[in-house]
Amino acid sequence: MTPAPSSPATGSVDAPAFNLNRHTARLLMREPFFAALSRRIDKRSTQAIPTAGVKVDKDTGTFVMYYNPEFFATLTDVQKLGVLKHEFYHLIFEHVTGRLPSDGMSKEWNIATDLAINSHLVNELPDMCCMPGQGPFEDLPLGKSAEWYLANLPENPGEGEDGEGEGQQGEGEGDGSGQGGGQGGGQGDAGGGQGYDSFDDHSGWGEVDQATKELAKERLKNTLKQAADEAAKSNSWGTVSSEVRKEIMDRITPRVDWKKVLRYFVKTTQRSSRNSTVKRLNRRYPRIHAGKKIQRQARIAISIDQSGSVSDSMLAAFFSELNTLAALAEFTVIPFDTEVATDKVYTWKKGQSQTWERVMCGGTCFDAPTRYVNEEGFDGHIVLTDMMAPKPIKSDCQRMWMTTKAYADRPYFQTSERVIAIDCEG
């Protein structure tokens, strides 16, 4: 075995360089989500940055975490874990692949992203880190978004520093890892001209083209889903807050285009009628038997919940799309609350345009419109509602529910029928 090198000054044996990969499993023992995420993120040692940082590898389109082993060797276990989570949060919140302000990268944006992340890491990071409620940020509250912190930063956040978004320069010019000098500051004495900056390196965030970023984002979404699945199976997300957990689930949940779903529903509920006509040739017996004329139509009921909790924006978004769909089919609009307003039911003729209006304002009962639709023999039934009422009776035709995301996430009743969240702004 080759002996470890000795220090020429003292003759003592030098300590081996800190290897983060040998410590992550121990550090993340009580963090199932972050542990699962960490296993899928390559971690590379480098002297080219003073602290740590994450970026997209331009050759592979994957995320990499770089760290300075000398910096990590000076940290306590709590701080090592905090820095790990800090870097992973940059990925989770999409700071590396997008979400930039309109004027692009800047020192202020770097600080703002760190403040947003560090709100979740109080008492877990080195003193150099920017923290809401402390030092020059003592007037800023915890738990805000990066965009909020950017808009509310103290004046001249980088006074006494040079450059935009590059922070204090690390020593050296790179070691072949692809990292150059970057941020290594943190919060200092703003009154003394030292200024403050992000403690970790953000310089690699803009190094790859958009196509590579999009590839990395898709891979990260899959990685986050796998980590979330592991956390769910272990029945523990560790220190991940419920707010962050919800944001993660929103990012990995496939988004349904409710307008496309509505169009599909209309088309699949169309029925055909066949009539003989001498104007069309019979394909099998031309000029012997009359041909067939096929007409496709759908009788679709649109039951609109008129209770006060159904917002005007929800009604407006729905009617806007129905105006487009009127080119495909004829609708019967059924206003209801605890009963159907039969005198307000009207037919939305194919090709016509309608404006939305509220004609009732009471409670909610889904049995009333369902009975009406069953008795009238419709082919399909769409219910626009907040779903805040007991489960209704069985529908004789295909029924679909449309509501906002908030109500879709927390319905008053459970159903196996399709529930689609309306984007009231899209």
Side-chain angles (χ1 to χ4, degrees):
M1 178 182 296
T2 303
S6 299
S7 168
T10 63
S12 61
V13 176
D14 290 340
F18 180 87
N19 187 334
L20 182 60
N21 291 288
R22 296 176 182 173
H23 295 264
T24 50
R26 175 180 60 84
L27 293 170
L28 296 167
M29 189 178 301
R30 294 180 178 84
E31 299 283 354
F33 173 77
F34 285 117
L37 182 59
S38 176
R39 290 197 299 272
R40 297 169 173 87
I41 303 297
D42 188 17
K43 288 170 280 294
R44 303 176 188 173
S45 172
T46 178
Q47 296 285 344
I49 59 174
T51 54
V54 283
K55 63 180 289 188
V56 177
D57 187 306
K58 61 183 178 182
D59 296 321
T60 64
T62 58
F63 287 100
V64 179
M65 174 183 169
Y66 290 93
Y67 69 95
N68 186 311
E70 294 181 1
F71 166 71
F72 261 83
T74 67
L75 304 179
T76 66
D77 278 357
V78 171
Q79 293 170 339
K80 292 184 181 83
L81 176 58
V83 173
L84 272 173
K85 291 194 290 185
H86 177 99
E87 301 306 330
F88 295 153
Y89 272 129
H90 275 310
L91 304 183
I92 293 169
F93 294 149
E94 296 185 357
H95 294 155
V96 183
T97 52
R99 199 179 169 182
L100 287 175
S102 57
D103 55 352
M105 286 287 293
S106 66
K107 180 176 292 186
E108 290 78 10
W109 177 243
N110 291 333
I111 296 168
T113 59
D114 274 14
L115 288 170
I117 287 174
N118 295 346
S119 290
H120 304 284
L121 300 171
V122 177
N123 298 324
E124 298 183 44
L125 294 167
D127 292 338
M128 68 176 69
C129 297
C130 301
M131 183 67 67
Q134 298 180 18
F137 312 105
E138 61 182 354
D139 294 329
L140 301 182
L142 295 167
K144 299 296 184 179
S145 68
E147 289 79 6
W148 188 94
Y149 286 119
L150 179 64
N152 291 276
L153 282 177
E155 293 184 7
N156 304 318
E159 186 178 0
E161 298 286 340
D162 294 328
E164 286 287 327
E166 295 184 3
Q168 298 177 4
Q169 292 296 318
E171 296 180 0
E173 299 182 359
D175 60 356
S177 67
Q179 288 286 97
Q183 286 138 330
Q187 68 183 49
D189 181 3
Q194 186 178 357
Y196 48 91
D197 198 356
S198 171
F199 91 94
D200 60 333
D201 183 83
H202 301 177
S203 63
W205 290 3
E207 290 182 353
V208 298
D209 57 51
Q210 190 59 37
T212 305
K213 282 186 178 181
E214 291 301 323
L215 174 62
K217 285 174 66 174
E218 287 303 312
R219 288 177 171 170
L220 178 63
K221 184 182 292 186
N222 184 56
T223 296
L224 289 175
K225 185 179 186 308
Q226 292 173 334
D229 289 343
E230 288 193 32
K233 288 179 182 178
S234 68
N235 199 29
S236 172
W237 283 67
T239 58
V240 180
S241 69
S242 58
E243 292 82 5
V244 174
R245 191 182 316 170
K246 184 179 183 303
E247 184 166 350
I248 291 169
M249 297 309 297
D250 285 345
R251 292 183 188 278
I252 65 178
T253 300
R255 298 186 180 276
V256 177
D257 188 332
W258 67 272
K259 296 181 180 181
K260 290 182 179 179
V261 173
L262 188 53
R263 294 187 188 103
Y264 178 78
F265 182 90
V266 170
K267 290 182 178 180
T268 55
T269 52
Q270 288 180 333
R271 56 182 176 175
S272 302
S273 63
R274 294 172 178 265
N275 298 302
S276 298
T277 174
V278 295
K279 294 182 179 180
R280 179 167 295 180
L281 289 177
N282 188 302
R283 292 184 180 180
R284 191 169 184 181
Y285 303 105
R287 296 185 175 83
I288 299 176
H289 296 294
K292 296 290 183 181
K293 182 179 180 181
I294 301 176
Q295 291 182 317
R296 301 187 183 277
Q297 59 182 352
R299 293 191 67 230
I300 299 175
I302 309 290
S303 291
I304 300 182
D305 185 350
Q306 299 285 306
S307 63
S309 56
V310 174
S311 69
D312 290 348
S313 61
M314 188 174 174
L315 290 172
F318 197 68
F319 268 72
S320 175
E321 185 60 18
L322 288 181
N323 271 312
T324 302
L325 294 178
L328 303 176
E330 182 177 283
F331 305 106
T332 298
V333 179
I334 305 169
F336 76 97
D337 48 25
T338 56
E339 59 184 22
V340 172
T342 54
D343 60 327
K344 301 294 184 181
V345 174
Y346 66 90
T347 300
W348 189 327
K349 293 290 186 181
K350 186 175 180 179
Q352 288 185 346
S353 178
Q354 299 281 353
T355 57
W356 69 274
E357 62 176 337
R358 188 185 296 278
V359 297
M360 303 170 71
C361 189
T364 307
C365 175
F366 300 127
D367 287 348
T370 302
R371 288 195 184 96
Y372 185 92
V373 169
N374 287 347
E375 292 169 1
E376 296 295 325
F378 285 90
D379 303 315
H381 187 192
I382 301 171
V383 187
L384 174 67
T385 178
D386 58 9
M387 303 193 74
M388 297 302 291
K391 187 174 182 178
I393 60 176
K394 183 178 181 296
S395 175
D396 292 342
C397 63
Q398 182 180 190
R399 179 169 55 190
M400 181 171 71
W401 305 83
M402 305 202 78
T403 187
T404 65
K405 187 177 186 306
Y407 290 122
D409 288 342
R410 298 175 180 83
Y412 188 85
F413 64 90
Q414 298 298 318
T415 177
S416 59
E417 296 170 334
R418 176 167 284 180
V419 179
I420 300 299
I422 293 177
D423 178 5
C424 293
E425 299 185 2

